[in-house]
Amino acid sequence: MSGRADSDTDPEITDPGAAAAQDTEPEAVPIDADEPDDTDEPDDADEPDDDADDVAEGARRARWTAAGTGTVLAMAGLAAALLRLTRSAPALVPAAYAGGAAVCAGAAVLGSRGRTRRALWLLIVGVMVMALGDQFD
């Protein structure tokens, strides 16, 4: 920056005020009369909303997961109750497995009806009841 006239610095950039103004000014875009104005309507007005589909798919997946998990845990609890019933175990053990299985079956019903949060808590309680029954063995 020697200030010579033959330097490769543009005259607008040498002035600090002009350089700041040049950086902040938006570029002027010519308006073409043939193109429609996009300010009235967004471009994706004709396309369906994918967010609603994602939410519905997530809710459907949660219902299937809650119902399936509740069914599997209920069947496992009933099988464990029947196995413990045939052995010489205290009566509280098969009763705890059967009770936990009943709670998990209730969670499966709630999950299939869309009450996935309550179904999750019931699944947790059902497994805890089964685990507590296993501690008595």
Side-chain angles (χ1 to χ4, degrees):
M1 291 234 151
S2 63
R4 296 186 326 206
D6 60 46
S7 68
D8 39 330
T9 306
D10 291 334
E12 297 93 31
I13 298 176
T14 57
D15 185 25
Q22 185 179 11
D23 291 341
T24 59
E25 290 180 12
E27 292 183 18
V29 177
I31 298 175
D32 192 9
D34 295 337
E35 295 181 16
D37 189 7
D38 290 338
T39 58
D40 296 332
E41 188 175 7
D43 290 338
D44 59 349
D46 297 334
E47 297 175 10
D49 192 11
D50 290 336
D51 292 338
D53 294 338
D54 292 341
V55 170
E57 179 66 28
R60 187 177 304 114
R61 186 175 297 136
R63 284 193 303 270
W64 276 99
T65 302
T69 305
T71 302
V72 167
L73 287 174
M75 295 304 232
L78 283 177
L82 289 174
L83 287 174
R84 299 298 174 149
L85 193 60
T86 59
R87 295 185 189 173
S88 61
L92 188 60
V93 175
Y97 276 113
V103 171
C104 288
V109 170
L110 282 178
S112 68
R113 294 183 181 184
R115 305 289 185 185
T116 54
R117 190 173 298 145
R118 291 180 183 145
L120 172 67
W121 284 109
L122 279 179
L123 287 172
I124 292 169
V125 168
V127 170
M128 287 176 64
V129 167
M130 287 189 248
L132 184 64
D134 192 40
Q135 293 298 316
F136 292 125
D137 190 17

